[in-house]
Amino acid sequence: MLNCLVIGSGVAGLSTALSLRKAGHSATVFEAHNGPSDGVGAFLTLAVNGFDALDTLGLKEQAAQLGFSTPLMSMYLGSTGRHLIDFDFGGTLPDGTTARTMTRSELYTLLREEALRRGIRIEHGRRLIKVEELPDGVTAVFDDGTSARGDLLVGADGLRSAVRPLIDPASPAPRTIPLLNTGGIIPANTAALALKDVDLGVSPGRMKMVFGKRCFYCYMPSPDGRIWWFANPLQRSSADPALLGQEELKSWLTGLVAGDRTPVAALIRATEDIIKPYSTFDFPSVPRWHSGKMVLVGDAAHAASPSSGQGASMAIEDAVTLGRALRGATSDDKEASLAARFAAYEAERRPRAETVVAWGRRNSEPKVRNQFTRVLQDLAMRAIFRGLARKAADNFDWLYGHHIDWDAVPEFADR
């Protein structure tokens, strides 16, 4: 059995700890923030490949109770209200599971509570500053003066990872995508009163995505009467919208969508707590995912644009693949054996991860519009989306149909 130190208690870190536990190892999760992040963060859509990976961890049925089913999406032009195309968002697993939209907090809480139930310790207020590699393991040193000893260390600490530069001091900085992210959830009672005369033009379970004149956005009603929406305004070099108060933020956002033939301006006005706009990044490629007794998972290794819709799903896939690679490992194994296991994990995950990052980048590009390109793009989009729809199943099976066989024999087994 290995004693594993996991840095970061987000989706990647908690999933990894659960996977390591399934592989027969002990895991302790160290989080820089001082407490759990219940109620923190926006919302996400977990794709069916993410649910398939959660099934390996024994959590698919519980996760399928979170949020609401969103298996469909429709694309529109904001300038004319014209319908472009409908898409099946990833298909359906054999048991009927579809993609589901949920708050990040809901997924986090499920993973955290299950980790604790399975005997995984989570320590808060432990910000990593240094890792000392020893012949028989690693020591993680934290900014509060404490330290922890383990056989290996997993960097699951996201885009701004503290572990990544320890593995490779020359690792690249995140790459900027010139889009901001914001949004909100309108409670059912507010929606019933403030939006009673508003025609959303979409039923629960379907995302309505709009290429607006000045901003890309999406909204969807849930079966319980809430309305969920997000927007991707262009990131400008002028004043930071994150510094705006709620009323100023509403005014700015409604100004961006004022010329569109959609009800999104009313949705913005009805939202009590709009998420402060934040920047978008990705990683084209991280040269090294592991070194010695340290390894990366999730956004620390391969952050994709939110336009991929795959951040959480890819993190869970990483966790399952790493846990499988470490099955049967013991603290008596030589460093070369551990390196072979890390290399097998990376060899399996890197091609898929980098393909998803590139795909997410391409998905972001049509959202980066200005008045000089918008009219031409609008003219071309209907033809483009029709072509995509005709071969959608072939295009997306590589993404949503991915399955990790936990019982498969790792490639390094004969080494």
Side-chain angles (χ1 to χ4, degrees), residues 120-136:
I120 295 167
R121 200 165 73 250
I122 304 171
E123 299 189 9
H124 295 277
R126 309 289 291 278
R127 185 176 297 278
L128 183 76
I129 57 172
K130 184 171 63 171
V131 175
E132 298 172 353
E133 292 206 65
L134 307 168
D136 59 347

Side-chain angles (χ1 to χ4, degrees), residues 2 4 15 25 80 83 123 142 160 163 168 181 183 192 209 213 215 233 265 279-280 314 320 326 330 346 364 372 410:
L2 296 172
C4 306
S15 298
H25 307 303
T80 62
H83 174 244
E123 299 189 9
F142 304 100
R160 305 295 181 184
V163 179
D168 183 3
N181 298 276
M209 298 192 169
K213 287 184 176 181
C215 179
S279 300
T280 305
M314 293 295 288
V320 172
L326 290 170
T330 71
E346 180 181 346
S364 296
F372 298 102

